[in-house]
Amino acid sequence: MKSRILIYADGSAIGNPGPGGWGAVLVFYKNQNGAQGRVLELGGGEKHTTNNRMELIAVINALQFVYKLKTKNYQLVIRTDSSYVINGITKWVKNWQKDKWRGVNKKPILNKDLWTKLLKFERGRKIKWEYVPGHSGVVGNERVDFIATLCARDKQWKTQRFFDGPLSKYPFDIFNTKQTKNRPASRKKSSGKAAYSYLSLVGGVLMKHPTWVECEKRVKGVSGAKFKKAASAEDEKEIIRQWEL
């Protein structure tokens, strides 16, 4: 049986741009019963960066570790909640290269330095990319989100190991992909009451929006973002209190 490597990766930035962190969980195994398996958690960050750069760096650092290993005969799966990373490496990057790293708007592609690094790791190797809905309760994704956020908030810039040991002793059910939280898109429909305002919290910065369109534009695709509809001034104050602002 081939060895298997499962990677969960995530990135976060407070302020976007601002202090950022990344997290990765690497699982080395042949079967899921924990026998002879190993789990390695990695995390780090940068003083001034963006969410997308951290998403890319999380994957790059995980792959960097894997490719230093002597073993070559393995199946590799990478799971991330970043559509930016998955679409970029599986769809967009070929056209970027053809167009000399310029987008459809003719402007230079952001994060070219990281995309070229990821391409070097991806070239000639078979990687299965899997999208995982963010903040939906999937165990592995929640764990890397925690590590990334921790590194950003605690200014832990240097790469470090949070867990390195047997799969049988890992305290999280890493193979469980069940979604235990409602995703924003799956929330129940509004009660029909007119909105007093829409609140968004991104990177610790609160903003009020008169329309849902404006609020959605700010939070969509941003890891760790919060948003909520306020039905009144009192409701607005209560939401802010719950967010501990």
Side-chain angles (χ1 to χ4, degrees), residues 43-213:
E46 292 182 1
K47 188 175 182 180
H48 190 75
T49 187
T50 65
N51 183 70
N52 283 340
R53 285 189 70 82
M54 288 292 95
E55 296 277 11
L56 283 164
I57 286 173
V59 174
I60 289 169
N61 284 339
L63 289 176
Q64 215 164 23
F65 183 91
V66 169
Y67 294 158
K68 286 180 180 178
L69 301 176
K70 293 181 179 180
T71 179
K72 301 295 181 182
N73 189 28
Y74 54 79
Q75 297 175 340
L76 177 58
V77 175
I78 299 178
R79 292 176 181 161
T80 173
D81 63 10
S82 175
S83 298
Y84 173 71
V85 171
I86 292 180
N87 288 331
I89 197 63
T90 63
K91 299 176 183 178
W92 304 335
V93 75
K94 291 181 180 179
N95 288 330
W96 291 342
Q97 288 178 300
K98 289 179 182 177
D99 296 333
K100 298 182 179 180
W101 291 97
R102 291 186 178 273
V104 292
N105 57 4
K106 305 303 179 184
K107 292 182 178 181
I109 296 299
L110 296 176
N111 305 318
K112 176 187 172 183
D113 59 325
L114 298 180
W115 285 116
T116 53
K117 281 185 180 180
L118 184 54
L119 271 173
K120 288 180 181 178
F121 286 124
E122 194 261 354
R123 189 175 294 117
R125 297 181 173 94
K126 189 174 181 180
I127 300 174
K128 185 178 181 181
W129 296 89
E130 295 183 353
Y131 174 77
V132 181
H135 309 287
S136 60
V138 175
V139 175
N141 191 64
E142 294 291 329
R143 182 58 184 166
V144 289
D145 177 76
F146 173 82
I147 294 172
T149 302
L150 177 69
C151 289
R153 289 179 177 172
D154 291 355
K155 300 180 180 180
Q156 299 184 33
W157 310 141
K158 292 183 179 180
T159 299
Q160 55 187 296
R161 301 186 181 193
F162 290 82
F163 179 94
D164 186 359
L167 174 59
S168 60
K169 293 186 178 180
Y170 191 57
F172 304 101
D173 187 7
I174 196 65
F175 297 114
N176 185 354
T177 57
K178 183 178 179 180
Q179 297 179 36
T180 59
K181 297 179 183 178
N182 289 332
R183 297 169 57 194
S186 302
R187 291 186 176 183
K188 294 180 180 180
K189 293 183 179 179
S190 169
S191 61
K193 293 182 180 180
Y196 175 79
S197 68
Y198 292 90
L199 302 176
S200 66
L201 184 66
V202 177
V205 179
L206 174 73
M207 287 188 68
K208 301 178 185 180
H209 310 275
T211 67
W212 165 240
V213 173

Side-chain angles (χ1 to χ4, degrees), residues 223-244:
S223 178
K226 293 183 179 181
F227 57 92
K228 201 162 187 180
K229 170 185 171 182
S232 65
E234 292 72 22
D235 190 26
E236 188 179 80
K237 289 179 182 178
E238 177 59 19
I239 293 169
I240 294 173
R241 188 193 66 77
Q242 290 177 2
W243 287 351
E244 298 180 349

